[in-house]
Amino acid sequence: MVKNSFISVISQKEENRGSVEFQVFSFTNKIRRLTSHLGLHKKDYSSQRGLRKILGKRQRLLAYLSKKNRVRYKELIGQLNIRETKTR
């Protein structure tokens, strides 16, 4: 499973599962599950609200990480395929 392999990679670096990277990873998994759920159940407004809340939490964590350590931020974005990379 993808989650177990990513957890082992993060756990090797840090013993803390409360790290920003692990939290962003778990939020990303929840977002993907809710997105597929909402594809089938378009009028599930409770899940839509939950999705918006999780997106906000992940956005705040990523903003914090980008301010603290830009290299770790870029690595995490690349591993999770969250954002489009801009080429100049």
Side-chain angles (χ1 to χ4, degrees):
M1 180 179 232
V2 176
K3 183 176 183 179
N4 290 334
S5 64
F6 192 76
I7 289 172
S8 64
V9 170
I10 289 177
S11 296
Q12 289 173 357
K13 293 180 183 175
E14 303 173 28
E15 293 294 322
N16 187 6
R17 288 200 177 183
S19 68
V20 175
E21 289 93 345
F22 184 79
Q23 289 180 40
V24 169
F25 172 72
S26 63
F27 285 145
T28 302
N29 281 339
K30 287 180 185 179
I31 288 167
R32 289 181 179 151
R33 277 189 282 135
L34 280 172
T35 302
S36 65
H37 169 79
L38 288 171
L40 297 173
H41 308 282
K42 294 182 188 346
K43 294 188 178 184
D44 188 357
Y45 300 116
S46 298
S47 293
Q48 287 178 10
R49 180 173 185 263
L51 177 63
R52 285 192 299 268
K53 287 179 78 168
I54 292 171
L55 283 168
K57 286 181 184 180
R58 186 180 75 173
Q59 184 179 11
R60 287 191 299 272
L61 282 171
L62 287 172
Y64 167 79
L65 187 61
S66 70
K67 287 179 187 176
K68 285 292 190 183
N69 192 339
R70 194 72 178 169
V71 174
R72 282 176 41 196
Y73 170 78
K74 289 190 180 217
E75 286 176 3
L76 185 64
I77 295 298
Q79 287 176 345
L80 295 177
N81 294 326
I82 295 176
R83 293 186 171 38
E84 299 279 330
T85 56
K86 295 179 182 176
T87 57
R88 292 182 185 195

